[in-house]
Amino acid sequence: MKYKLTLLFAAAIFILSCSKKDPDENMNPCSPLILVTKVSGMKHESNGSVSPVNMIFSYEYGRPIQITDGLKTTKFFYDSSINSVYKVEHTDSAASPVKRTLFQALNISDAGPIQVNEFHYEGNQLTFESVNDYTYTDGLVSKLQKTSDNIVLTQKYTWKDGNMITFDNGKGTVYRYKYNDKLNPFVNRFTRYQTGPVDFTSANLVTEIEEVTDGVSKISTMTYTYNPDGYPLTARSVNQEGTVTLYLTFEYQEFKSPCY
C-alpha cells in the first residue's frame, strides 16, 4: 500500500496503471488488509477559504468502491475479468446544479487504460467532454493527451522507484516531488487513481512539493506522525510562508482479504 497527500491537480486524473514495483505483489493474498476507512481534517482552497475534509472509504473484496467527502462522491467500477477499474464517476451535490463527471475506459492493457472518454452530465444527459489517450513507460503513465474540441493538452509524468517525481500539467506549471521511505496506505493493487487530496499512485509518502510556474517556485513541505505499524496517523502541509494549508488525521480497519 502507498500514499501521497497533495492538492496538485485541479481536476481528477485517471491513472489506473499496474506498477511493476507494487508492494502488494509480495503480500500473501490471503493475509488481512489494513485499509484506510476515514480521513478527516481541513484544507485551504486557492481562493483563501478553508474547507473541511471528511472522507469515508468503502471497500468490497479489498477494492475501494466509493469515497465520500461531504456532498462529494467518487465511485469505482471494476471489470471482474481483470480486476481493474474501467469507470469512475464523480458527483458534487454541493454544486447547483449538481455536477457529475464520468470517466469511461474504452480499452485496458496490462498497464492500464489506453484510452478513456470523459463526459459530464447536464441533468441526466451525458455530454462528451474529451478523449484521454495514455502512453506508458515501465507500466506507469508517462504521457496523457487530452483532446477536446480539437484542442490538445499534453501532460507528462516521470517516475522513480514507483513514485511520481515530476508532473507537467501542459499549461506551464511543473510539479516536483520528494518522498520518505514510508509506504503510502492509499495504494491499492486494483486502483491507481488521483482524486482531490488523496493519491493512489505513488509508492511512498510525499515530503516536499515544488510548484514551478514561469520560473517562479513555490514549495510546500509535508510532515507526518505514525502508528506503531508505520502507517500515518496525521499529515500536515506547510507552504513557504509558514501557513498550514492541509491537516489530516487517518483511521484504519483490518479487513479479511480474499484469496486471488
Side-chain angles (χ1 to χ4, degrees):
M1 296 188 297
K2 321 171 192 173
Y3 156 76
K4 177 181 70 178
L5 279 173
T6 172
L7 300 179
L8 64 135
F9 303 133
I13 295 179
F14 218 77
I15 304 180
L16 310 178
S17 56
C18 298
S19 170
K20 295 179 180 178
K21 299 181 180 179
D22 191 337
D24 283 333
E25 288 179 351
N26 298 320
M27 291 176 56
N28 179 344
C30 298
S31 63
L33 298 174
I34 305 299
L35 300 175
V36 177
T37 56
K38 184 177 181 180
V39 179
S40 55
M42 53 73 66
K43 61 181 178 180
H44 282 267
E45 304 290 356
S46 57
N47 61 6
S49 64
V50 178
S51 299
V53 176
N54 187 31
M55 306 181 76
I56 306 297
F57 294 75
S58 300
Y59 299 90
E60 186 177 78
Y61 306 119
R63 308 179 303 190
I65 58 171
Q66 181 169 298
I67 304 172
T68 61
D69 184 2
L71 296 175
K72 298 180 180 181
T73 303
T74 300
K75 294 182 178 180
F76 303 90
F77 300 85
Y78 293 83
D79 184 321
S80 59
S81 64
I82 57 175
N83 271 330
S84 184
V85 172
Y86 74 92
K87 182 170 69 174
V88 179
E89 181 175 307
H90 300 287
T91 303
D92 183 357
S93 299
S96 182
V98 173
K99 290 179 62 178
R100 295 171 67 197
T101 304
L102 180 70
F103 295 85
Q104 177 78 50
L106 301 184
N107 41 41
I108 304 175
S109 71
D110 290 339
I114 297 171
Q115 190 174 84
V116 173
N117 278 345
E118 180 180 350
F119 302 88
H120 69 269
Y121 287 90
E122 295 179 357
N124 291 322
Q125 181 67 40
L126 269 180
T127 301
F128 176 77
E129 186 76 24
S130 66
V131 174
N132 305 322
D133 294 295
Y134 295 82
T135 301
Y136 297 87
T137 302
D138 296 329
L140 291 167
V141 173
S142 55
K143 184 171 71 173
L144 167 58
Q145 184 171 288
K146 301 169 68 74
T147 304
S148 178
D149 294 330
N150 295 320
I151 298 174
V152 178
L153 174 68
T154 300
Q155 300 176 336
K156 297 179 181 179
Y157 311 82
T158 63
W159 303 80
K160 182 180 180 181
D161 298 328
N163 292 317
M164 186 188 298
I165 301 301
T166 65
F167 166 60
D168 183 337
N169 71 0
K171 299 179 181 179
T173 298
V174 175
Y175 299 86
R176 301 189 180 103
Y177 309 96
K178 294 181 180 179
Y179 300 83
N180 61 21
D181 60 357
K182 300 292 186 180
L183 294 180
N184 176 355
F186 286 121
V187 162
N188 188 279
R189 72 183 71 181
F190 306 101
T191 311
R192 298 287 182 273
Y193 187 74
Q194 166 95 27
T195 173
V198 173
D199 179 12
F200 290 90
T201 62
S202 290
N204 302 113
L205 297 176
V206 70
T207 57
E208 182 178 292
I209 305 169
E210 181 183 16
E211 176 185 341
V212 182
T213 304
D214 296 329
V216 178
S217 172
K218 297 180 181 179
I219 296 177
S220 296
T221 57
M222 296 290 301
T223 56
Y224 307 87
T225 62
Y226 304 93
N227 66 16
D229 295 319
Y231 294 107
L233 288 174
T234 66
R236 185 172 180 262
S237 177
V238 179
N239 64 20
Q240 60 190 25
E241 286 78 33
T243 300
V244 177
T245 57
L246 184 71
Y247 183 82
L248 300 177
T249 61
F250 305 86
E251 297 178 23
Y252 303 89
Q253 183 175 336
E254 182 177 283
F255 288 82
K256 187 174 182 179
S257 174
C259 297
Y260 299 101

